[in-house]
Amino acid sequence: MTSESNRLPVVAIVGRPNVGKSALFNRIAGKRIAVVHSQSGVTRDRLMIEVVRDDRAFLLVDTGGISHIDGSESTDLIESSIHRQVEAALDDADCVIFMTDLRAGVIPLDQEVARFLHSKNLPVIVAANKADTEKDELLAPEFDELGFPVVPVSALHARNIDDLMAGVKPHIPATAQLTLDERLRIAIVGRPNVGKSSFINAMLKDDRLIVSDVAGTTHDSIDIPFSLGEGESARHYLMIDTPGIRRANKISTAVDKFGVIRAQNSIDSADVCVLMMDAVQGPTAYDKKIADLITRSEKGCVMIVNKWDLSEDIKKKEYDKALRRAVPFMRHCPVVFVSAVTGDHVRDSIEMIEHVAAQVTARLPTGILNRAIEDAEKRVAPPAVKGKRLHIYYAVQTDVKPLKVTLFVNNPKLIVPNYRDYLINSLRQKFGLEGAPIILTLRNRPRKKSR
Ligand code: GDP
Ligand code: GDP
């Protein structure tokens, strides 16, 4: 259960558009993960990311991703959109980075945001952004009028980010156990000869991937512990039941011709599955079977199409389409086309595995989660069932791996499958969550609880 005690502290970045919120988000997050969702072809900016810095783990939330407002709107409208934009994030925030544009100076909109933040009684630090040179920093005192400590920074040129974070640190409780320490378990599954062992070898050659001493050898399989990233923000993984390195597979009898039982066991003990397929053969019945096992086991998944060097004139778009048709229930899972032999796109696939691993363990702050559900409900009302309509009172995330959300409602029987899918898709759109299953549970709550 996700209890209050292992909830990550939240640092929210707020401010009007174009001050550099997403630039700062990427800077603090330490890397750019622009995920191209193969289905929509859209590059999606991350809304939130787990960050470990200076012995502190926190969730960094970019409120810019919650609602973009148009700077040309009238002040009143802007004010209400700004409120909407930041309110949900502030419900969860332990500390706020209020971003402004040093070069534009203090504008009325900044003053409005400042008034709003003062009313919330939260620790706030003003990041006066676009201080690209030392000379620019001389403009910073102008922002003192906002009534919060001011740090001139340049998100783009990485200036004074440490000073800013030093201001944030006292407001972030030290977490006893950093969640990123947890080793996530990865299983690489697929038909014999699709190139699983070749892919693992190609992965192990990547200099980003740091392999710890190999332990856990059993008579017929091997687990490989490895890490990605450096220092305190490194993530640790275990590649489980690694094929090919083990002895000839004696389980593959006529009954279990393609090792389905073995695959099921690997999938069961994994957090993220890599479903490997063959470029030339295309998605087969066996691939569908394995995809189905992954879905039923509620595991995160990345689909990898290997041997792309042999594909000649197959187009990625066409393959992708055929694959989506073959396994429509894997719609939310990213696809990467690689060649284990040439090493092409192996790194991309490692990044994608890492990304899905992060989604599988995502913790959605309660305020933002509830706002997302409310917004979805406002866009499309639940359909009436025998004259009665579903009312959702409150949403709470109850688990990770897989991500479980419980909705407290007037009557759980009033949800229709389409509406359940719609709510799940809305959460995906809001939070990203590529490759991660979302399990929605409905529970009875007869009277409305105040939010
Ligand atoms: P957001 O709307 O607040 O998320 O702002 P963005 O992060 O999208 O940035 C808006 C614009 O400001 C972009 O053109 C950025 O390249 C630019 N920008 C962001 N940070 C800096 C900075 O530190 N210095 C300068 N000169 N430009 C910046
Ligand atoms: P596994 O049974 O899934 O572990 O598959 P292997 O890694 O043993 O590979 C099966 C065969 O496919 C071997 O002959 C590999 O050399 C070949 N193979 C693996 N990956 C690729 C690739 O990306 N391109 C090509 N052309 N051949 C590959």
Side-chain angles (χ1 to χ4, degrees):
M1 290 279 284
T2 302
S3 66
E4 212 32 37
S5 58
N6 69 6
R7 145 193 189 277
L8 276 182
V10 172
V11 176
I13 307 177
V14 303
R16 58 188 176 82
N18 277 318
V19 290
K21 293 186 296 301
S22 55
L24 183 71
F25 179 85
N26 287 326
R27 177 64 63 196
I28 298 174
K31 58 187 161 189
R32 270 170 195 279
I33 327 173
V35 171
V36 181
H37 198 278
S38 60
Q39 200 182 11
S40 56
V42 182
T43 303
R44 168 152 40 204
D45 288 330
R46 297 294 307 278
L47 172 74
M48 55 179 70
I49 192 166
E50 280 177 29
V51 176
V52 181
R53 226 185 141 106
D54 279 346
D55 296 333
R56 296 289 192 278
F58 58 89
L59 199 62
L60 184 68
V61 178
D62 177 8
T63 60
I66 292 169
S67 157
H68 278 291
I69 62 163
D70 179 359
S72 64
E73 283 176 292
S74 83
T75 308
D76 283 355
L77 262 179
I78 289 168
E79 197 171 9
S80 67
S81 329
I82 288 260
H83 281 204
R84 242 189 108 54
Q85 174 192 8
V86 296
E87 229 164 25
L90 294 189
D91 281 350
D92 301 302
D94 296 90
C95 181
V96 178
I97 297 176
F98 172 16
M99 246 188 143
T100 55
D101 183 339
L102 192 77
R103 296 178 176 189
V106 177
I107 70 164
L109 202 50
D110 294 326
Q111 290 163 333
E112 281 169 28
V113 178
R115 270 198 297 279
F116 182 66
L117 289 175
H118 277 294
S119 77
K120 289 283 176 183
N121 238 342
L122 280 165
V124 175
I125 292 149
V126 173
N129 191 34
K130 310 196 184 180
D132 299 348
T133 66
E134 225 165 284
K135 200 164 147 236
D136 292 330
E137 287 177 19
L138 300 175
L139 300 167
E142 183 187 343
F143 290 84
D144 288 342
E145 73 162 86
L146 297 175
F148 303 111
V150 179
V151 182
V153 299
S154 171
L156 218 52
H157 301 286
R159 296 188 75 243
N160 301 348
I161 304 296
D162 286 345
D163 294 347
L164 177 67
M165 296 319 289
V168 168
K169 188 174 171 181
H171 307 294
I172 303 294
T175 19
Q177 205 211 336
L178 302 182
T179 50
L180 305 196
D181 275 352
E182 207 180 341
R183 260 185 208 284
L184 283 164
R185 300 164 63 86
I186 297 170
I188 308 216
V189 289
R191 268 178 297 137
N193 281 320
V194 289
K196 295 181 295 298
S197 336
S198 309
F199 175 75
I200 289 162
N201 286 330
M203 254 178 102
L204 297 179
K205 271 189 216 139
D206 192 290
D207 52 17
R208 268 199 63 209
L209 193 144
I210 301 149
V211 182
S212 329
D213 45 340
V214 173
T217 313
T218 62
H219 66 290
D220 63 351
S221 75
I222 195 165
D223 292 347
I224 303 176
F226 69 96
S227 305
L228 287 166
E230 281 169 44
E232 50 192 1
S233 60
R235 278 181 185 273
H236 307 289
Y237 300 91
L238 191 67
M239 200 142 48
I240 55 167
D241 193 19
T242 302
I245 300 167
R246 65 171 174 250
R247 291 187 308 170
N249 188 353
K250 299 219 172 66
I251 300 175
S252 296
T253 58
V255 184
D256 187 31
K257 201 166 158 212
F258 294 111
V260 173
I261 294 168
R262 167 153 227 127
Q264 175 74 71
N265 289 341
S266 303
I267 293 166
D268 276 347
S269 54
D271 300 311
V272 176
C273 299
V274 175
L275 170 55
M276 183 152 291
M277 285 164 289
D278 187 302
V280 180
Q281 296 186 359
T284 65
Y286 178 88
D287 298 332
K288 277 192 231 176
K289 170 93 192 150
I290 298 294
D292 188 51
L293 294 181
I294 294 171
T295 306
R296 282 169 197 270
S297 307
E298 302 176 339
K299 303 298 178 173
C301 181
V302 177
M303 294 189 276
I304 292 188
V305 181
N306 187 35
K307 308 196 187 179
W308 199 249
D309 55 299
L310 302 178
S311 64
E312 284 174 4
D313 41 31
I314 311 172
K315 299 225 162 57
K316 281 186 187 169
K317 232 178 168 169
E318 282 164 20
Y319 194 106
D320 192 76
K321 243 171 138 179
L323 182 55
R324 298 296 176 188
R325 251 200 318 271
V327 286
F329 51 90
M330 302 290 263
R331 223 174 293 119
H332 60 285
C333 301
V335 181
V336 192
F337 297 87
V338 309
S339 168
V341 162
T342 66
D344 233 24
H345 293 290
V346 168
R347 172 162 288 203
D348 292 346
S349 58
I350 296 175
E351 275 169 17
M352 196 52 94
I353 293 167
E354 198 182 6
H355 177 69
V356 170
Q359 305 314 304
V360 164
T361 53
R363 291 175 200 278
L364 315 179
T366 308
I368 303 175
L369 171 64
N370 276 279
R371 184 60 62 107
I373 295 281
E374 259 175 67
D375 285 351
E377 224 183 335
K378 263 186 210 144
R379 270 197 311 275
V380 180
V385 176
K386 289 184 189 152
K388 289 202 177 123
R389 207 178 282 281
L390 180 76
H391 290 291
I392 304 170
Y393 301 132
Y394 194 68
V396 63
Q397 182 178 357
T398 44
D399 216 341
V400 290
K401 299 189 297 179
L403 197 155
K404 287 188 181 158
V405 171
T406 300
L407 301 180
F408 291 96
V409 301
N410 55 337
N411 179 356
K413 294 201 178 104
L414 294 176
I415 193 150
V416 296
N418 274 349
Y419 201 72
R420 178 188 291 272
D421 289 347
Y422 164 72
L423 288 177
I424 289 174
N425 284 336
S426 302
L427 291 180
R428 264 189 213 299
Q429 251 169 24
K430 179 66 86 184
F431 295 104
L433 304 174
E434 284 86 1
I438 302 174
I439 315 299
L440 267 192
T441 309
L442 277 74
R443 282 178 55 185
N444 232 61
R445 153 109 353 144
R447 268 175 300 121
K448 186 166 173 116
K449 186 183 165 184
S450 62
R451 292 187 219 258

